[in-house]
Amino acid sequence: MVLASGAGSNLQALIDAVGDGRLDAEIVAVIVNRRSAFALQRAASNNIATAFFGLRPYLDDHDDPAQARRRYDADLAAMVLGYRPDLVVLAGWMHLFTMGFLEYFPGRVINLHPALPGEFGGPNAIDDAWNAHLRDGLDRTGVMVHLVPDEGVDNGPVLATEAVPITPDDDRESLESRIHAAEHGLLVRAVADFLEGL
Ligand code: GRF
């Protein structure tokens, strides 16, 4: 099961790896929280079940945003449980979960993040690394896959990492494309290792 919010290039890496036998898995469904997420088209064109599940109606129905998120998370958990996944992969899922979701999948939710452990948490990791390069000469960043046990941001137990050098020839775009390429490989390997360990 893959949850995504955006372009879905990491979803595509998983789809390709299943297709050519590098990953012995079935992607039982893809859920997106943005209607425009291209991940939705990628899943549909590969005959994977899809669902759009947006937060907006929950925010409109509740005065308290925290309560809206808890209700959203509980309803999303019920939807995900319906697919009986072995693993829930957050592949560019731009939403922080409460325990109202996570408690249903202990040790079974993994997240991909475009930075190394303990560095540049949050949604602007690539910009933050690039700015650190310009400001302080940072010469490497990286990517990681980690478990999501609780509501911490990009800081659960680490499953896999890969360093990505920042070279004098880089600009922001070249760095970003190498980070994404590293993510695609790392995510496939981490999912394969996780499933093998079950
Ligand atoms: C990736 O960089 C991921 O690490 C981050 O969001 C991006 C998603 O890219 N959380 P895509 O939608 O898989 O192309």
Side-chain angles (χ1 to χ4, degrees), residues 59-75:
L59 292 172
D60 290 344
D61 278 0
H62 295 81
D63 291 334
D64 176 8
Q67 199 190 356
R69 291 183 86 89
R70 282 195 298 277
R71 286 303 302 273
Y72 174 85
D73 281 11
D75 288 353

Side-chain angles (χ1 to χ4, degrees), residues 1-183:
M1 156 75 63
V2 177
L3 306 190
S5 303
S9 67
N10 287 284
L11 167 66
Q12 188 68 53
L14 293 171
I15 291 171
D16 293 346
V18 171
D20 66 21
R22 279 175 294 136
L23 188 56
D24 182 14
E26 180 194 357
I27 302 172
V28 290
V30 171
I31 299 177
V32 302
N33 59 359
R34 289 184 183 148
R35 224 180 259 287
S36 60
F38 190 61
L40 202 57
Q41 324 303 325
R42 295 183 193 267
S45 61
N46 284 277
N47 299 314
I48 298 169
T50 60
F52 163 69
F53 199 71
L55 179 62
R56 173 50 51 196
Y58 289 80
L59 292 172
D60 290 344
D61 278 0
H62 295 81
D63 291 334
D64 176 8
Q67 199 190 356
R69 291 183 86 89
R70 282 195 298 277
R71 286 303 302 273
Y72 174 85
D73 281 11
D75 288 353
L76 179 59
M79 179 186 270
V80 172
L81 282 168
Y83 291 99
R84 305 176 64 82
D86 290 324
L87 174 63
V88 178
V89 179
L90 309 183
W93 175 254
M94 305 308 277
H95 172 101
L96 293 176
F97 278 127
T98 66
M99 292 312 292
F101 179 89
L102 295 169
E103 68 185 347
Y104 290 99
F105 309 99
R108 303 260 172 173
V109 180
I110 68 173
N111 182 49
L112 172 69
H113 183 65
L116 292 171
E119 299 182 0
F120 311 126
N124 303 311
I126 299 176
D127 281 332
D128 293 345
W130 180 246
N131 289 334
H133 167 70
L134 295 180
R135 196 181 53 238
D136 306 324
L138 180 76
D139 63 0
R140 64 102 190 89
T141 180
V143 300
M144 70 167 157
V145 175
H146 64 93
L147 288 167
V148 185
D150 56 32
E151 297 171 10
V153 179
D154 301 321
N155 66 354
V158 175
L159 298 178
T161 64
E162 184 171 321
V164 175
I166 309 177
T167 71
D169 295 339
D170 266 324
D171 56 23
R172 167 73 179 68
E173 285 66 37
S174 65
L175 175 62
E176 176 163 359
S177 62
R178 285 212 323 289
I179 287 175
H180 288 319
E183 285 187 316

